[in-house]
Amino acid sequence: LSSYGIRRAVVSNRRSFTCSPFVGNEELISWIGNCENLFAGAVLSPEIGFPPNELHKYIDKLIEQKVVLVRLFPKKLNHSLKKWEMGDIFSYLEYRNVPLMLWHTETDWDTISEICSEYPNLEIIIEGNDKKLLYHNRNYVQLLRRHHNLYIETHNLVQYLGIEYIAGQLAIDRLVFGSYFPFNDPNSAIFLLMAADIDKKLKRKIAGE
């Protein structure tokens, strides 16, 4: 990643949803422990949680081990995102100020809106996999206007003037740079931002300085 000018990154382990969230998280933490410029995006699911107090201890442990956001894969791991199943996890992530990242293909926009409303201090980042976000702009534009805690990750925000519309016309400062490396060439995500017709200071902010 450094060869692309990306100095710091949040990484996740694919085995967290192809094998087990617990196994994948432990592997990931062991891999990045000595890398000062890498941070972890852990994967959670309901059965990883144990009783509520133990779940909280597990999340605390993850945070201590360089976990800076949590991912959920409700379709791949076959669980609901509704409050009856995930409410305790969402509440504790909100309390600990840990952002939640979701693929829009793993849920629906009504559920995303419900989570934003129910947990207004939980930052929710929508990552555009495995389908271009442009097919959903009628939804996410309205939700960006409605919910201050909703963010859009940029690697698949490929609609013409999409970045300009959100950052400029809507004047909403809620775009988060993502590369989706190694499955995507980081240059495509970098040049998408570099070519955007917005102020350079705003570009630098989206790119995490």
Side-chain angles (χ1 to χ4, degrees), residues 120-146:
N121 294 315
L122 174 61
E123 295 175 329
I124 300 168
I125 305 168
I126 302 302
E127 185 179 27
N129 295 3
D130 304 314
K131 184 179 181 182
K132 293 181 178 66
L133 280 165
L134 64 88
Y135 299 112
H136 300 270
N137 56 24
R138 293 186 181 92
N139 293 310
Y140 68 73
V141 167
Q142 293 297 330
L143 293 182
L144 284 170
R145 287 178 170 142
R146 184 180 296 269

Side-chain angles (χ1 to χ4, degrees), residues 69-85:
L69 64 82
V70 161
R71 295 173 179 270
L72 297 176
F73 294 93
K75 286 186 178 179
K76 287 180 171 60
L77 297 178
N78 298 310
H79 66 83
S80 173
L81 287 179
K82 297 298 184 179
K83 186 175 182 179
W84 60 265
E85 182 154 52

